[in-house]
Amino acid sequence: MAAPDQPAARVERVLDSATELLVRWGYQRVTIEDVAKHAGIGKGTVYLHFRTKDALFLTVLLRSHHAVVARMAERMERDPAEALPGRAVRSLYRELVEDPVVRPLYLGDPEVLGRLAHEAADTLGEIGSRRVEVGRRWFARLRDAGLMRTDLTVDEQMHVFSAVTTGFFFLDGMPTAPGPDDSHRRADLLEHALASALHVPGAAPDAEVSRECAALYRSLLDHIDEEWQRRVR
């Protein structure tokens, strides 16, 4: 482990402080000076590692994104049912609605994403492309195992999956959206919609299939880490 005054440890302290303040105050209110004070270092030292506030907070989001993907893989390894799209996204949704750090990456907070758009353009596009490819391989494996319907192509199923999931996440940010107020019930409805459209009724993954699906998502982790670490100077 790096000593407290070494650059790697200092970067972790800055990111931890920025994460805590983001949760406490929100993106718009937190300044680099706030982060520096909370981390117990000078403002110039923060700029030594992160050239702008946007670069710092995008790094915070990407580091948190690693944790979200890792937990998704862990759930698949622990419970084979989590390898099914409906169940996987139900669990993800329940996690995200309660996580103010990574919510903008998934639920499309326009305030935050608008400010980070320039900083994030290449990174989020690349990660998104890799995530789509992992999703395609995930669906193909489930189809081969007889767990997903085959009356649509994989690409068509990916479109349905994205449209349904994005629709639920988008509506969550609308104060006058119809539907239940309880987020757990909305998560159940999301699972129901995806299962009805994609799953073979009654089919259940075995441990081998779920481990393979988990491995697909674990393959994203190194790339996510490379993306956030390359933003640190």
Side-chain angles (χ1 to χ4, degrees):
M1 181 178 296
D5 59 343
Q6 290 182 347
R10 191 166 59 226
V11 166
E12 290 291 337
R13 193 160 76 250
V14 169
L15 290 171
D16 289 342
S17 295
T19 300
E20 183 175 335
L21 293 177
L22 178 64
V23 172
R24 189 185 302 173
W25 295 340
Y27 176 85
Q28 296 289 3
R29 290 186 56 195
V30 179
T31 67
I32 289 288
E33 187 173 1
D34 294 328
V35 173
K37 183 177 180 180
H38 191 275
I41 60 178
K43 183 168 68 172
T45 304
V46 177
Y47 282 117
L48 179 67
H49 298 294
F50 302 95
R51 56 186 176 77
T52 65
K53 173 183 170 180
D54 290 348
L56 169 59
F57 278 93
L58 180 60
T59 305
V60 168
L61 292 177
L62 291 173
R63 191 178 67 150
S64 299
H65 181 47
H66 173 115
V68 170
V69 175
R71 285 192 292 267
M72 184 175 178
E74 289 166 4
R75 287 192 292 267
M76 290 180 178
E77 291 169 337
R78 188 170 58 247
D79 179 4
E82 290 283 340
L84 292 170
R87 178 62 61 85
V89 176
R90 173 183 180 271
S91 298
L92 177 65
Y93 179 88
R94 290 182 61 171
E95 177 180 0
L96 295 181
V97 295
E98 298 173 0
D99 189 333
V101 178
V102 295
R103 187 184 300 129
L105 279 177
Y106 292 87
L107 304 188
D109 185 325
E111 177 181 310
V112 176
L113 289 182
R115 294 292 300 270
L116 298 182
H118 178 72
E119 184 70 35
D122 59 336
T123 296
L124 296 188
E126 175 66 17
I127 289 177
S129 296
R130 289 180 180 247
R131 195 164 54 202
V132 166
E133 181 55 32
V134 164
R136 187 175 286 112
R137 293 167 61 192
W138 175 31
F139 279 23
R141 182 65 186 94
L142 294 177
R143 287 162 65 102
D144 289 344
L147 300 166
M148 282 180 59
R149 295 167 51 173
T150 56
D151 52 333
L152 299 175
T153 67
V154 170
D155 283 344
E156 288 171 336
Q157 288 180 320
M158 289 286 292
H159 181 78
V160 170
F161 175 81
S162 296
V164 172
T165 302
T166 302
F168 269 79
F169 287 176
F170 175 77
L171 283 175
D172 219 57
M174 297 180 61
T176 59
D181 293 331
D182 179 23
S183 63
H184 288 189
R185 181 55 183 158
R186 294 197 301 274
D188 292 340
L189 293 174
L190 175 54
E191 179 182 16
H192 172 75
L194 290 174
S196 299
L198 303 174
H199 298 182
V200 171
D206 59 25
E208 179 181 359
V209 169
S210 65
R211 281 195 299 267
E212 291 177 13
C213 294
L216 288 172
Y217 275 92
R218 287 198 183 280
S219 71
L220 289 172
L221 297 180
D222 286 345
H223 179 66
I224 294 170
D225 286 343
E226 289 171 4
E227 284 298 313
W228 78 256
Q229 289 169 2
R230 77 180 177 86
R231 296 183 169 277
V232 180
R233 299 193 289 187

